[in-house]
Amino acid sequence: MTDLPQHNPVLAEAAYTGISEAGIRLEALPEGHLLHVLGATEPSALAAELAKVGLATSSIRQAGFRQWFVAGGEPIVPASLDALAAALAGKAFVTDQSHGRVRIGISGRSSRALLSKGTAVDLDPAVFAEGRSVMTMVSHISVQIVRTGEDSFELTVLRSFAETLWDDLRHMAASAVKDEA
């Protein structure tokens, strides 16, 4: 049917294809899947269930008390979502947030300097280790920050704030590069 809404990635325009400044890389990550899992299940048990439904490569990120985001670069198949919900029935609830949230990657030697301009979270590797996540504010926007490597982070933001966050990050990147010089 031609009248059905079409999915348009929010950061797909040329202006959002990625920014590389000296020491910083911003990139719009694929709008694959993002599931919100709420309930009395542990990450290891959740990982086992994800593997059973074909989502073994998805990343599990703590999003609060007994809450996790499950993120991956590929769209989720409805049958996999249904199977995961059935497997977790009675222990946790699963909601598909793929349509409502966007992921942005930040990497490079100045990535922490960039993020420190917008958030008060201590991103030192000794405190904020790889794989750790936190719900916080960047500028005035609520985001989840995940450390994905030594000098790389992923930010998850509500879709309606993605362009504003991107613009803020772009300005912070320019300022961080000047500060590092």
Side-chain angles (χ1 to χ4, degrees):
M1 300 177 86
T2 58
D3 61 341
L4 292 177
Q6 298 296 312
H7 176 75
N8 293 315
V10 70
L11 297 177
E13 293 181 27
Y16 304 109
T17 57
I19 297 171
S20 283
E21 297 282 343
I24 296 176
R25 169 102 177 120
L26 294 178
E27 61 183 317
L29 299 175
E31 291 187 20
H33 65 272
L34 187 76
L35 308 177
H36 193 186
V37 179
L38 299 99
T41 187
E42 294 300 318
S44 57
L46 180 55
E49 296 301 336
L50 290 169
K52 291 177 189 175
V53 299
L55 298 173
T57 60
S58 296
S59 174
I60 301 171
R61 294 109 182 254
Q62 189 165 11
F65 179 69
R66 292 187 171 176
Q67 294 184 52
W68 294 268
F69 281 137
V70 176
E74 299 296 322
I76 191 162
V77 177
S80 294
L81 181 59
D82 293 343
L84 181 62
L88 295 175
K91 296 176 268 185
F93 297 96
V94 180
T95 59
D96 185 2
Q97 297 288 306
S98 306
H99 63 286
R101 298 187 189 253
V102 173
R103 297 179 303 134
I104 297 172
I106 302 173
S107 59
R109 70 179 187 283
S110 299
S111 57
R112 283 189 296 137
L114 178 154
L115 288 171
S116 71
K117 294 189 172 295
T119 187
V121 174
D122 186 352
L123 298 172
D124 186 278
V127 177
F128 197 77
E130 189 172 332
R132 183 145 181 233
S133 64
V134 64
M135 297 298 295
T136 188
M137 302 289 276
V138 172
S139 295
H140 64 286
I141 301 169
S142 178
V143 301
Q144 180 187 49
I145 299 176
V146 179
R147 178 178 228 116
T148 57
E150 178 64 28
D151 289 322
S152 59
F153 299 87
E154 188 174 299
L155 278 60
T156 303
V157 61
L158 287 170
R159 183 178 193 83
S160 58
F161 290 105
E163 289 178 317
T164 302
L165 178 62
W166 182 271
D167 289 340
D168 288 351
L169 291 170
R170 198 179 66 199
H171 292 293
M172 285 186 265
S175 176
V177 169
K178 285 179 193 173
D179 291 349
E180 296 265 325

